[in-house]
């Protein structure tokens, strides 16, 4: 039986990466794989556990069919390795760090995907991006402007977007994610 794709999305700085890192163990224990993205970000940049490649290498991989999904945003290219299809075919669920702008295309390829939108209060978002310090002030402003492009739609076609608030502490968000996915933080031994 096919597994399900869990499509985590939300503004840059909302905490997707932190959430994925904190939930990685319980997710794996609950039959949910987490895939590393391929990004054209410089290797020196802090943060996400991703595979950093040059633009040329990204394009070579894309043309070769290495990506199940790929998109461009924030001046960067992002790719989701095609190996997720094997995991799904093997019946494993897969969580990816997705893009709000690419949700419709992702849903066409994976009609049963579960869209999860990570939210954070506006005032906290700017503060978190500044504190992370990965981007320049101008790049941070551009990311905040990008948010205005996304409406508050709660559904795409028949799919209901599940909202997860990360304005509070991360441990609470991890617990809520696991609850949403019907996984518990400690694997059930019964
Ligand atoms: N619940 C939280 N409370 C406080 N700070 C957080 C929380 N979640 C994430 N952060 C911090 O906010 C910044 C952005 O988080 P990050 O995971 O990089 O976001 P994203 O992957 O969505 O861009 C990081 O500095 C991170 O440590
Ligand atoms: O269409 P959007 O929902 O705006 O998403 C655009 C991109 O930004 C996010 O990455 P991340 O948070 O790592 O952004 P960054 O590369 O700007 O940090 C997200 O995972 C997408 O790859």
């Amino acid at each position: 039986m096919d597994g399900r794709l869990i499509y985590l999305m939300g503004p840059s700085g909302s905490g997707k990466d932190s959430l994925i890192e904190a939930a990685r163990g319980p997710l794996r224990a609950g039959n949910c794989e987490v895939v590393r993205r391929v990004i054209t970000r410089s290797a020196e940049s802090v943060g996400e556990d991703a595979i950093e490649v040059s633009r040329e290498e990204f394009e070579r991989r894309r043309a070769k069919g290495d990506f199940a999904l790929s998109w461009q945003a924030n001046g960067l290219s992002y790719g989701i390795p095609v190996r997720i299809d094997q995991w799904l075919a093997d019946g494993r669920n897969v969580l990816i760090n997705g893009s709000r702008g690419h949700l419709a295309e992702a849903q066409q390829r994976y009609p049963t995907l579960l869209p999860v939108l990570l939210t954070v209060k506006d005032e906290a978002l700017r503060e978190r991006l500044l504190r992370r310090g990965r981007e320049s002030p101008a790049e941070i402003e551009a990311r905040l402007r990008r948010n205005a492009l996304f409406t508050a739609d709660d559904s795409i076609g028949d799919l209901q977007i599940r909202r997860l608030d990360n304005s509070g502490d991360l441990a609470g968000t991890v617990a809520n994610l696991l609850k949403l996915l019907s996984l518990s933080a400690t694997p059930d031994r019964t």
Side-chain angles (χ1 to χ4, degrees):
M1 195 187 77
D2 283 358
R4 190 163 191 198
L5 185 70
I6 296 134
Y7 191 90
L8 180 67
M9 60 192 162
S12 178
S14 57
K16 302 179 296 299
D17 202 33
S18 306
L19 176 60
I20 289 170
E21 276 313 308
R24 190 182 294 275
L27 286 172
R28 281 253 165 82
N31 193 37
C32 186
E33 292 286 348
V34 178
V35 75
R36 279 173 90 199
R37 303 196 289 185
V38 178
I39 308 183
T40 57
R41 197 165 9 227
S42 79
E44 304 84 58
S45 64
V46 290
E48 180 172 352
D49 176 27
I51 300 158
E52 290 101 359
V53 296
S54 66
R55 285 177 189 278
E56 295 71 30
E57 176 61 13
F58 187 95
E59 188 46 40
R60 197 186 64 76
R61 292 187 189 200
R62 198 191 59 74
K64 197 156 71 76
D66 278 6
F67 300 138
L69 298 169
S70 65
W71 60 86
Q72 291 184 317
N74 305 328
L76 302 169
S77 297
Y78 302 80
I80 302 294
V82 76
R83 68 181 299 198
I84 68 168
D85 286 351
Q86 189 58 54
W87 282 331
L88 292 168
D90 289 344
R92 294 183 72 70
N93 298 321
V94 178
L95 183 143
I96 66 169
N97 185 345
S99 151
R100 293 165 296 175
H102 199 69
L103 176 59
E105 286 95 329
Q107 200 234 339
Q108 274 178 12
R109 179 164 172 147
Y110 301 98
T112 65
L113 67 75
L114 177 68
V116 179
L117 178 65
L118 195 64
T119 61
V120 67
K121 293 198 172 70
D122 285 347
E123 60 270 23
L125 189 59
R126 181 187 304 266
E127 188 198 306
R128 285 188 189 174
L129 285 167
L130 289 168
R131 187 150 23 96
R132 182 171 70 181
R134 188 172 69 195
E135 289 84 23
S136 69
E139 288 171 329
I140 288 174
E141 291 310 315
R143 279 165 171 74
L144 293 169
R145 277 198 304 277
R146 180 176 169 85
N147 284 332
L149 300 174
F150 296 97
T151 60
D153 284 353
D154 263 351
S155 62
I156 168 168
D158 295 338
L159 285 178
Q160 190 72 23
I161 295 175
R162 316 296 291 268
R163 285 171 177 267
L164 200 57
D165 185 54
N166 188 36
S167 303
D169 77 318
L170 188 61
T173 312
V174 172
N176 286 334
L177 174 69
L178 299 178
K179 193 154 54 165
L180 186 90
L181 303 179
S182 302
L183 301 174
S184 79
T186 46
D188 191 350
R189 294 176 198 285
T190 56

